[in-house]
Amino acid sequence: MSKTKVASKNKTAKLTIDNKSVFLPIYHSTEGESVIDITNLHSEANVFTYDPGFTSTASCESKITFIDGNKGILRYRGYDIEELAKKSDFIEVVNLLIYGDLPNKAQLKKYKQLISRHTLLHDQIINFFQGFRRDAHPMAMMVGVMGALSSFYQDSLDINDAHQRQEATRRIIAKASTIGAMAYKYSIGQSFVSPKNNLSFSENFLHMCFSNTAEEYKISPILAKAMDTIFILHADHEQNASTSTVRLAGSSGANPFACIAAGVSSLWGPAHGGANQAALEMLEEIGTSKNIQKYLKKAKSKKDPFKLMGFGHRVYKNYDPRAKILKNICQKVLKHTGIKNDPILKLAMDLEKIALNDKYFIEKKLYPNVDFYSGIILKAIGFPPEMFTVIFAISRTAGWTAQWTEMIEDPIQKIGRPRQLYTGNKHHKYGYKRSKKNTR
Ligand code: CMC
């Protein structure tokens, strides 16, 4: 991938500190906000910028994913998510994210073959699973086994070799789904089911999760399409916490499997990928529409840590376009599985309606996000809540590897090393100091 400097330096920002002015270049995005380049700020003015949570900081230049949070737009490589969800399948989207444009038929066929060649895991990896407790969260197994792949696939660890980078990428994407399915089987005490390479990516995942030694799982095209759409919608989301974690881990030169394991860890948190499990558990706790006001009051209280899971987003200040697609699929899946009048779906729709008309949620621009409806669909397909974040992780391996590759190939790539605003002690002479704050 060749990097062009998208930024055009036709404007500068002037920052004056103690009568000294520093001129900072402004770069324009192809779409979206411009950025002020502060690279030389420290050398010229001896100050750092301060931005906890990176709310106003662009950490990199990227050509992969575009989000317009005010309009509720999400595009991979320039293609609208709605169109990709309708017309593509997951592996085509993976190929798009990694190579920059949609593949032709022959390219896609070849890529699908390449991915399916990597679905098997080294036999020794079974020993890893046997080391986990049966009640371990499947995300714990994902983190551990993903990192462990670096000990098995040592011929794809050289980050400076383009061929090895591509091989590692294909291995990560193909094996993540096998690891996820094995984690599920292990947690329910069933034998592992081998992948079947004549199935599509999503069909194969359903097969590995729901077939068993006594019975072959009959794959419904409606559920396979729903599964595939979930994979497409979660495939990338520009510089979110887990992707930034992958980039930061990779910036030190760490191997790709280790970087993706770091991404899986970051995704696990309830403010990020763990929100799909938390959203369904929250709906189950609310139980009935009669309790909605009680929980909304909790969500609005500054004293209560409770938040409405599956609501709100750092970037979207409008309806998350992924949630819109999933709301529609949710109804189709429930109808197909014969779950008529599902009380949890009814509760979710009531909660959404009430929250969207509530002053607090209107003023703070809090809308349902991707995690609000995905759990209801995954539960209807047959997954327990612990698997929801695993499924998110399998899908996000596409975005993580695309973003990791972009970072490695970026000529200005440096180790990520933020600075800080130090507010600790000034120099102390060595010895015990009586301090009111010393509560040990
Ligand atoms: N329920 C109640 N209040 C909320 C919520 C919520 N779900 N989300 C944000 N707020 C309030 C928040 O308390 C804050 O209020 P104030 O201005 O009075 O301090 C205001 O809205 C702005 O929120 P923030 O926490 O400063 O926003 P953020 O950009 O730091 O956090 C978020 C974004 C997604 C972490 C947050 O909205 C949240 O915790 N939502 C629930 C968890 C969730 O659904 N996460 C999935 C995100 S989408 C998938 C993914 O990225 O993995």
Side-chain angles (χ1 to χ4, degrees), residues 270-273 275 299 302 307-314 317 322 360-361 364 366 369-371 392:
H272 192 9
K302 282 260 175 228
K307 279 193 176 177
L308 217 53
M309 301 314 285
F311 257 79
H313 199 274
R314 170 64 59 80
K317 302 301 166 199
R322 302 167 299 173
Y360 173 96
F361 286 84
K364 294 193 187 298
L366 301 171
N369 61 48
V370 70
D371 294 316
F392 194 155

Side-chain angles (χ1 to χ4, degrees), residues 53 55 234 237 240-242 266-267 269-276 278-279 282 295-296 298-302 304-317 320 322 360-361 364-372 392 396:
T55 55
H234 290 82
H237 215 232
N240 53 83
S242 58
S266 171
L267 186 78
H272 192 9
N276 48 17
M282 175 196 74
Y295 280 86
L296 280 190
K298 275 166 74 62
K300 292 189 274 186
S301 165
K302 282 260 175 228
D304 194 325
F306 175 81
K307 279 193 176 177
L308 217 53
M309 301 314 285
F311 257 79
H313 199 274
R314 170 64 59 80
V315 185
Y316 293 119
K317 302 301 166 199
D320 180 337
R322 302 167 299 173
Y360 173 96
F361 286 84
K364 294 193 187 298
K365 299 187 176 162
L366 301 171
Y367 291 83
N369 61 48
V370 70
D371 294 316
F372 194 63
F392 194 155
R396 190 54 63 87

Side-chain angles (χ1 to χ4, degrees), residues 337-351:
T337 48
I339 308 173
K340 283 190 196 122
N341 308 322
D342 177 50
I344 292 290
L345 177 64
K346 186 183 174 307
L347 173 61
M349 286 168 59
D350 287 350
L351 178 58

Side-chain angles (χ1 to χ4, degrees), residues 236-420:
D236 195 45
H237 215 232
E238 52 118 310
Q239 309 312 319
N240 53 83
S242 58
T243 302
S244 299
T245 302
V246 170
R247 279 185 177 257
L248 196 56
S251 76
S252 72
N255 79 66
F257 302 101
C259 296
I260 301 303
V264 177
S265 308
S266 171
L267 186 78
W268 194 355
H272 192 9
N276 48 17
Q277 175 176 348
L280 189 79
E281 287 170 352
M282 175 196 74
L283 289 170
E284 282 169 349
E285 188 186 317
I286 297 175
T288 150
S289 301
K290 278 189 213 145
N291 294 331
I292 289 178
Q293 286 301 348
K294 183 175 129 198
Y295 280 86
L296 280 190
K297 205 169 156 197
K298 275 166 74 62
K300 292 189 274 186
S301 165
K302 282 260 175 228
K303 289 183 198 139
D304 194 325
F306 175 81
K307 279 193 176 177
L308 217 53
M309 301 314 285
F311 257 79
H313 199 274
R314 170 64 59 80
V315 185
Y316 293 119
K317 302 301 166 199
N318 200 327
Y319 213 106
D320 180 337
R322 302 167 299 173
K324 258 189 209 161
I325 299 170
L326 287 178
K327 187 177 177 181
N328 188 12
I329 291 183
C330 192
Q331 286 165 342
K332 279 190 196 154
V333 166
L334 291 181
K335 194 172 162 210
H336 173 78
T337 48
I339 308 173
K340 283 190 196 122
N341 308 322
D342 177 50
I344 292 290
L345 177 64
K346 186 183 174 307
L347 173 61
M349 286 168 59
D350 287 350
L351 178 58
E352 178 192 322
K353 204 166 157 191
I354 294 170
L356 290 182
N357 285 299
D358 187 286
K359 198 167 158 239
Y360 173 96
F361 286 84
I362 294 170
E363 276 175 8
K364 294 193 187 298
K365 299 187 176 162
L366 301 171
Y367 291 83
N369 61 48
V370 70
D371 294 316
F372 194 63
Y373 285 106
S374 62
I376 304 176
I377 302 173
L378 292 172
K379 185 178 170 230
I381 294 178
F383 291 104
E386 294 73 30
M387 278 299 288
F388 298 173
T389 317
V390 168
I391 289 163
F392 194 155
I394 293 168
S395 158
R396 190 54 63 87
T397 55
W400 289 332
T401 48
Q403 300 265 356
W404 172 81
T405 305
E406 186 178 66
M407 181 209 58
I408 300 286
E409 292 178 356
D410 187 339
I412 64 155
Q413 189 267 325
K414 280 182 183 199
I415 185 166
R417 202 323 185 168
R419 301 304 296 258
Q420 62 175 3

Side-chain angles (χ1 to χ4, degrees), residues 16 20 40 59 85-86 103 128 137 144 146 150 176 189 251 330 344 362 367 386 420 423:
T16 306
K20 186 181 176 219
N40 294 329
S59 61
K86 211 185 263 176
F128 266 85
H137 195 289
M146 184 58 77
S150 41
S251 76
C330 192
I344 292 290
I362 294 170
Y367 291 83
E386 294 73 30
Q420 62 175 3
T423 54

